[in-house]
């Protein structure tokens, strides 16, 4: 049996109105970029790579310090053996302990360890620049998708405006046909145009929805129908006040772009790798020291608590009287030497130097040097590739920006001309001096001119945003 609870119902209604009353978040370009940078899995993965480089750096730095190792053993020996501390045979069960501390430090090995530290320092910096490259790439992608939404939203506005005009014409022609002042064919043509524009509006809406979906997926935001972006006052489409050439942009980008710095650092790291490989074929000088002690159950000492037992042994007789000659034999009671005393008496220390000179090791050292030289050459090629790619990208973006500006200016004139032409066509169509077919063609020409203008506008904004970004300016699409 269900029981009606008015309190719960009122609460649910209040929550519903509260949810509807909550203001909808409008995402700015900065919001989208920041969200993408915080939630992108590729960025998180690269952050972990940087942490791994840091761990390698710490480990290589600690490798410069001497090592220190301690050992402790406890043995029971059964059967005959030579005790290492008494140097005597032991035939009973003997317990023994060994304690050992040793340290070793490499004094010189061709600077391999030092160069490894420097190499890892370089790799940490390169990893950070790789992270910046990834962030820049995602930021530019977000800006591009953001502009796509604004572009498609304006195309949708154009489609809505054109459809409104056509709907007004349909109503007007319908009345004229009913009054007998216009042919029914004109009504059919304008109705067909209305159907085409309704389809165009649906397609424009679908394109806008897909662009919203694409941006949400790019920034790893859960897809929602409430996602909306801010429509800022976009920067004007005009040539820069100060002349900027691709060479100026490229020269500046070479000094600041993280992909170039990362490639340069990898060349430095390859140079250190070559130095490490050369160090393998050099002599190694090291110093070591140790301290050890131990305990043995076979080590005995006289027990002072037990008096000695004296016996007289016949060792001979006198020559004349033939009396026996006695010699005292003193037998002392023994006990196992104490653990602490043995640790004191058995301790030993050592210090020494070791020199290792590689003479022949299957040519491994020379092979490592050859491989390191190849790696260095590859790193230099990668740097050249990055520089060439950067120049091509800047030159292409610059050419696209110039072309977009020219197209925009031409489209402005074309839109103005097509607007006047459409007004004239509409006037002629209203008085019956133009067919519906010619009217529709004039209207389509205006729509296409408006679309071309918008495309040139957003293409110019995006390409100039890229160029500004390569000049070290933040990503910005508004005035």
């Amino acid at each position: 049996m269900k029981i009606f609870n008015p309190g719960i119902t009122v609460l649910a209604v209040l929550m519903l109105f509260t949810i509807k009353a909550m203001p909808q978040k409008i995402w700015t370009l900065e919001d989208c970029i920041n969200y993408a940078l915080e939630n992108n899995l590729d960025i998180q993965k690269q952050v972990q790579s940087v942490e791994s480089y840091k761990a390698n750096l710490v480990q290589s730095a600690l490798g410069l310090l001497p090592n220190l190792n301690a050992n402790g053993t406890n043995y029971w020996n059964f059967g005959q053996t030579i005790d290492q501390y008494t140097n005597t045979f032991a035939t009973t069960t003997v317990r023994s302990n060994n304690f050992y501390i040793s340290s070793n430090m490499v004094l010189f090995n061709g600077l391999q360890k030092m160069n490894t530290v420097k190499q890892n320092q370089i790799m940490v910096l390169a990893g950070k620049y790789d992270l910046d490259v990834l962030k820049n790439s995602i930021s530019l992608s977000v800006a591009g998708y953001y502009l796509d939404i604004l572009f498609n939203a304006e195309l949708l506005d154009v489609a809505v405006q054109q459809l409104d005009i056509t709907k007004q014409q349909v109503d007007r022609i319908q009345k004229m046909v009913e009054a007998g002042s216009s042919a029914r064919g004109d009504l059919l043509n304008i109705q067909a145009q209305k159907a085409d524009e309704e389809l165009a509006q649906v397609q424009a809406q679908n394109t806008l929805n897909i662009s919203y979906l694409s941006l949400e997926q790019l920034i790893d935001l859960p897809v929602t129908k409430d996602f909306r972006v801010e429509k800022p006052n976009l920067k004007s489409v005009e040539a820069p006040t100060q002349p900027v050439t691709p060479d100026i942009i490229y020269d500046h980008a070479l000094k600041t772009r993280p992909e170039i710095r990362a490639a340069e650092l990898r060349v430095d790291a390859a140079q250190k790798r070559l130095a490490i490989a050369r160090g393998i074929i050099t002599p190694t000088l090291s110093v070591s020291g140790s301290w050890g002690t131990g305990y043995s159950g076979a080590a005995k000492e006289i027990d002072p608590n037990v008096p000695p037992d004296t016996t007289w042994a016949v060792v001979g007789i006198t020559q004349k009287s033939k009396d026996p000659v006695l010699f005292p034999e003193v037998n002392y009671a023994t006990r196992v030497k104490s653990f602490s005393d043995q640790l004191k008496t058995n301790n030993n220390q050592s210090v020494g130097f070791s020199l290792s000179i590689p003479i022949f090791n299957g040519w491994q050292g020379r092979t490592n040097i050859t491989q390191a030289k190849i790696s260095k050459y590859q790193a230099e090629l990668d740097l050249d590739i990055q520089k060439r790619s950067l120049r091509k990208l800047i030159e292409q973006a610059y050419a696209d920006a110039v072309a977009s500006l020219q197209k925009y200016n031409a489209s402005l004139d074309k839109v103005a001309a097509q607007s006047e032409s459409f007004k004239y066509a509409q006037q002629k169509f209203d008085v019956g001096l133009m067919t519906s077919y010619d009217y529709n063609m004039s209207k389509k020409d205006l729509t296409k001119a408006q679309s071309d203008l918008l495309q040139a506008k957003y293409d110019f904004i995006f390409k100039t945003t890229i160029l500004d970004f390569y000049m070290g300016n933040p990503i910005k699409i508004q005035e």
Side-chain angles (χ1 to χ4, degrees):
M1 178 179 179
K2 297 183 178 178
I3 300 177
F4 175 73
N5 191 329
I8 296 178
T9 303
V10 173
L11 179 61
V13 172
L14 290 176
M15 291 178 62
L16 179 61
F17 278 102
T18 302
I19 293 174
K20 289 185 176 180
M22 291 178 62
Q24 183 180 4
K25 177 178 175 60
I26 303 298
W27 290 69
T28 64
L29 175 58
E30 184 179 2
D31 291 335
C32 294
I33 292 177
N34 291 337
Y35 189 91
L37 298 182
E38 292 174 1
N39 296 274
N40 186 270
L41 296 181
D42 290 330
I43 289 180
Q44 296 178 20
K45 184 178 178 181
Q46 182 59 33
V47 169
Q48 295 306 310
S49 296
V50 174
E51 293 301 318
S52 178
Y53 289 140
K54 290 181 179 179
N56 291 337
L57 173 59
V58 172
Q59 182 58 52
S60 61
L62 293 176
L64 296 173
L65 302 176
N67 60 26
L68 181 63
N69 298 291
N71 296 307
T73 63
N74 186 78
Y75 291 104
W76 285 272
N77 184 78
F78 306 95
Q80 181 171 288
T81 185
I82 297 179
D83 185 77
Q84 63 174 331
Y85 293 107
T86 63
N87 201 29
T88 59
F89 280 103
T91 58
T92 59
T93 301
V94 177
R95 172 197 162 198
S96 63
N97 297 94
N98 291 309
F99 303 99
Y100 188 77
I101 296 177
S102 64
S103 178
N104 181 276
M105 180 179 182
V106 175
L107 300 178
F108 180 80
N109 65 343
L111 300 178
Q112 292 182 63
K113 290 189 175 183
M114 185 61 68
N115 285 323
T116 300
V117 172
K118 293 180 179 179
Q119 179 189 9
N120 289 332
Q121 289 175 335
I122 294 171
M123 292 306 298
V124 169
L125 293 176
K128 291 180 179 180
Y129 280 118
D130 287 338
L131 179 60
D132 291 338
V133 171
L134 187 57
K135 288 181 178 180
N136 290 342
S137 176
I138 292 175
S139 298
L140 285 176
S141 296
V142 171
Y145 280 60
Y146 195 96
L147 287 172
D148 279 343
I149 292 178
L150 300 181
F151 170 62
N152 291 324
E154 289 204 44
L155 284 182
L156 177 60
D157 291 341
V158 171
V160 171
Q161 293 172 6
Q162 295 300 321
L163 180 59
D164 288 341
I165 295 174
T166 302
K167 286 181 178 178
Q168 295 174 8
Q169 288 296 334
V170 169
D171 294 338
R172 191 182 67 81
I173 299 300
Q174 179 74 41
K175 294 177 181 178
M176 293 178 64
V177 170
E178 292 174 354
S181 61
S182 181
R184 184 170 179 79
D186 290 336
L187 177 61
L188 294 176
N189 286 334
I190 202 69
Q191 286 177 337
Q193 177 66 20
K194 173 176 171 291
D196 288 340
E197 292 180 358
E198 287 175 340
L199 177 60
Q201 179 179 333
V202 171
Q203 292 175 338
Q205 182 64 60
N206 290 337
T207 302
L208 177 60
N209 294 339
I210 292 174
S211 60
Y212 268 111
L213 174 63
S214 299
L215 179 57
E216 288 179 280
Q217 292 177 339
L218 176 66
I219 66 176
D220 292 310
L221 178 71
V223 177
T224 171
K225 294 182 179 179
D226 296 330
F227 179 69
R228 290 295 179 268
V229 300
E230 179 189 47
K231 186 176 181 181
N233 293 324
L234 298 175
K235 52 188 177 182
S236 58
V237 182
E238 57 185 7
T241 55
Q242 296 181 351
V244 180
T245 65
D247 289 336
I248 294 176
I249 300 174
Y250 177 71
D251 290 339
H252 188 276
L254 279 181
K255 302 174 184 177
T256 59
R257 296 307 301 167
E259 57 267 34
I260 301 299
R261 292 292 299 122
E264 290 174 343
L265 287 171
R266 284 188 165 82
V267 173
D268 296 338
Q271 182 64 47
K272 295 302 178 185
R273 192 178 302 117
L274 177 58
I276 294 170
R278 286 173 174 162
I280 295 176
I281 63 174
T282 61
T284 299
L285 177 64
S286 59
V287 61
S288 60
S290 66
W291 172 88
T293 187
Y295 166 83
S296 173
K300 305 292 184 177
E301 67 177 356
I302 297 175
D303 190 347
N305 299 319
V306 179
D309 181 19
T310 304
T311 60
W312 296 90
V314 178
V315 296
I317 59 174
T318 60
Q319 186 175 6
K320 291 182 178 182
S321 63
K322 305 298 182 178
D323 294 328
V325 178
L326 302 178
F327 186 82
E329 291 183 354
V330 182
N331 297 315
Y332 294 94
T334 61
R335 64 182 180 182
V336 178
K337 195 173 183 180
S338 68
F339 188 84
S340 59
D341 289 343
Q342 288 198 49
L343 292 184
K344 293 178 182 178
T345 58
N346 291 334
N347 79 85
N348 65 88
Q349 302 86 28
S350 68
V351 63
F353 292 89
S354 174
L355 179 64
S356 175
I357 302 175
I359 297 176
F360 181 76
N361 57 1
W363 213 249
Q364 186 62 48
R366 295 296 179 182
T367 301
N368 290 340
I369 293 175
T370 301
Q371 294 290 352
K373 289 180 178 179
I374 294 174
S375 297
K376 179 176 178 292
Y377 182 63
Q378 290 175 336
E380 292 170 347
L381 290 178
D382 289 338
L383 175 59
D384 289 339
I385 291 173
Q386 287 290 346
K387 289 181 178 179
R388 293 183 184 184
S389 297
L390 178 62
R391 174 175 284 278
K392 290 178 182 179
L393 195 151
I394 291 175
E395 290 174 345
Q396 185 64 52
Y398 186 88
D400 290 342
V402 172
S404 297
L405 180 60
Q406 294 173 347
K407 182 179 179 181
Y408 178 82
N409 292 330
S411 297
L412 273 178
D413 297 337
K414 186 175 181 180
V415 168
Q418 287 295 147
S419 297
E420 292 298 323
S421 176
F422 178 69
K423 288 180 182 179
Y424 180 67
Q426 191 169 17
Q427 293 172 358
K428 292 178 65 177
F429 183 69
D430 291 342
V431 297
L433 297 178
M434 177 178 284
T435 64
S436 58
Y437 175 80
D438 292 334
Y439 171 79
N440 290 336
M441 291 301 297
S442 178
K443 193 165 181 291
K444 288 180 179 179
D445 290 340
L446 174 60
T447 302
K448 185 177 184 306
Q450 292 172 331
S451 177
D452 291 340
L453 178 64
L454 289 177
Q455 186 178 16
K457 169 186 174 182
Y458 282 95
D459 191 48
F460 177 82
I461 292 175
F462 183 61
K463 292 304 189 297
T464 53
T465 299
I466 293 177
L467 296 175
D468 288 341
F469 192 55
Y470 284 133
M471 285 293 292
N473 300 320
I475 295 178
K476 183 180 178 181
I477 61 174
Q478 67 271 20
E479 292 180 341

